[in-house]
Amino acid sequence: MTIREVLNADWTVDRVDITVRDRETTKYIMRYCIGRDVMPGKYDKFVYEAEAGTVYSDCKKRILFINRIIQFRQLEEKPRGRESNVGVLEREVPVELLDLQIDHMFPYHCGWSDGMHGYCFTCYVKSWSGIKGENKQIELEEPE
């Protein structure tokens, strides 16, 4: 099963946490946290601001936080007459992640009054080059 298939089957997902590992060695490659208001943990250290999101480190393990709305219900401006509709905005999840095969998954961030929840996925890959904008650091402009 792929991440895309899970997101198409479960419309009440508002965040995903995807860990990518090497298939042969099970070595950690990268973790991606996507959704509205996803934040680093207490002990995660800021590394850099990338085009795709913000990169943090947890004991030398890189985590990319992509703060995007991926749930239709959370949009500020919805089409008229569709206020109560739910569904995952697939276009907001990087394409490179959508077609990964899931080896392990479990729900998290459950029990909220809005009925939304997230999933943690672990995916093992033969090779991984990351997502677009993951390694491109944004240069800060100096104030005048």
Side-chain angles (χ1 to χ4, degrees):
M1 180 176 282
T2 65
I3 293 173
R4 183 187 311 266
E5 291 170 342
V6 171
L7 297 181
N8 286 332
D10 187 349
W11 293 356
T12 57
V13 175
D14 68 346
R15 62 187 63 214
V16 291
D17 185 329
I18 304 164
T19 301
V20 179
R21 293 182 171 273
D22 182 64
R23 182 166 299 286
E24 289 182 21
T25 63
T26 69
K27 184 178 177 183
Y28 178 94
I29 297 174
M30 188 72 164
R31 185 172 147 213
Y32 302 90
C33 298
I34 308 164
R36 184 177 77 174
D37 301 327
V38 291
M39 297 185 316
K42 184 176 182 178
Y43 298 106
D44 295 339
K45 304 285 186 223
F46 175 80
V47 179
Y48 62 89
E49 191 74 33
E51 283 184 350
T54 308
V55 177
Y56 282 81
S57 174
D58 174 23
C59 298
K60 297 187 181 181
K61 294 180 180 178
R62 299 285 172 126
I63 308 164
L64 177 64
F65 290 91
I66 303 173
N67 196 343
R68 291 184 191 167
I69 293 175
I70 65 168
Q71 175 53 242
F72 180 82
R73 183 184 248 178
Q74 295 174 340
L75 289 174
E76 300 233 354
E77 298 196 17
K78 299 177 206 81
R80 283 181 81 61
R82 298 185 56 137
E83 289 80 14
S84 64
N85 286 357
V86 296
V88 177
L89 299 169
E90 201 173 285
R91 68 180 181 271
E92 296 298 326
V93 180
V95 167
E96 298 89 349
L97 299 172
L98 284 173
D99 294 322
L100 288 175
Q101 288 291 325
I102 300 168
D103 289 282
H104 183 261
M105 67 180 266
F106 60 91
Y108 84 108
H109 203 261
C110 301
W112 296 88
S113 62
D114 63 0
M116 297 292 144
H117 64 277
Y119 280 109
C120 286
F121 300 109
T122 301
C123 304
Y124 292 90
V125 296
K126 289 182 180 177
S127 64
W128 185 251
S129 58
I131 65 170
K132 184 179 178 185
E134 171 184 326
N135 295 315
K136 190 163 184 184
Q137 187 173 349
I138 295 176
E139 294 185 22
L140 301 174
E141 296 178 12
E142 293 190 27
E144 296 177 11

